[in-house]
Amino acid sequence: MIWLLAITVWVTASAGAYLALSRDVFRCVLGLAILGGAANLVLFAAGRLGPALPAVVPLGSEALASAANPLPQALVLTAIVIGFALVCFSLALVLRLIQRTGTDDALEMRQAEPPPVDAVKPPYAGDGLDPVWPDAAAGKDGQT
């Protein structure tokens, strides 16, 4: 059971990281949501996975050694609610950003930054500091 959960966490975290590193802003938000789900799985695994006695201790008896820990379950439930609200808010912002700029590519959105003459907004560094991407016509090894 623990190996199945470990593989599930690994697949979920790697899929979330892959999506979060995308240039597409919508995929980036979904990747961060999936990474949050992987973190919830890790928190849930911190509790007991197998069957356990309930965490209720009868009056006058000692604490149960094999009882389930309710704290990780409460933390996961709270994290799910907060994560869902954050993802909904982020998706609303991303959809508005895509509607306003007309693109969902992060590099194209970078070109929409204000010029450096504005005293309030942060300046755009210019074309000299943009990342250099290989030519589409270049081969696999980067040579033409």
Side-chain angles (χ1 to χ4, degrees):
M1 178 79 174
I2 190 71
W3 288 106
L4 180 64
L5 184 67
I7 291 171
T8 304
V9 168
W10 179 78
V11 168
T12 307
S14 56
Y18 175 76
L19 287 174
L21 294 174
S22 176
R23 284 175 43 186
D24 185 3
V25 181
F26 188 72
R27 286 183 188 172
C28 183
V29 169
L30 289 180
L32 291 175
I34 292 173
L35 275 175
N40 287 341
L41 283 174
V42 169
L43 270 176
F44 188 70
R48 188 173 302 263
L49 292 179
L53 296 173
V56 179
V57 179
L59 186 63
S61 62
E62 295 181 20
L64 303 173
S66 62
N69 187 2
L71 184 62
Q73 296 172 6
L75 288 175
V76 168
L77 285 175
T78 305
I80 288 171
V81 171
I82 293 172
F84 182 71
L86 181 66
V87 167
C88 289
F89 183 70
S90 299
L91 286 177
L93 285 178
V94 164
L95 290 176
R96 177 68 177 133
L97 182 65
I98 291 171
Q99 180 185 17
R100 187 170 184 182
T101 60
T103 184
D104 61 350
D105 189 13
L107 290 181
E108 290 180 20
M109 287 182 191
R110 181 175 161 79
Q111 303 300 330
E113 291 182 9
V117 295
D118 194 349
V120 176
K121 297 178 183 174
Y124 170 61
D127 291 330
L129 298 177
D130 283 338
V132 179
W133 299 99
D135 243 45
K140 288 184 179 178
D141 58 354
Q143 298 176 357
T144 54

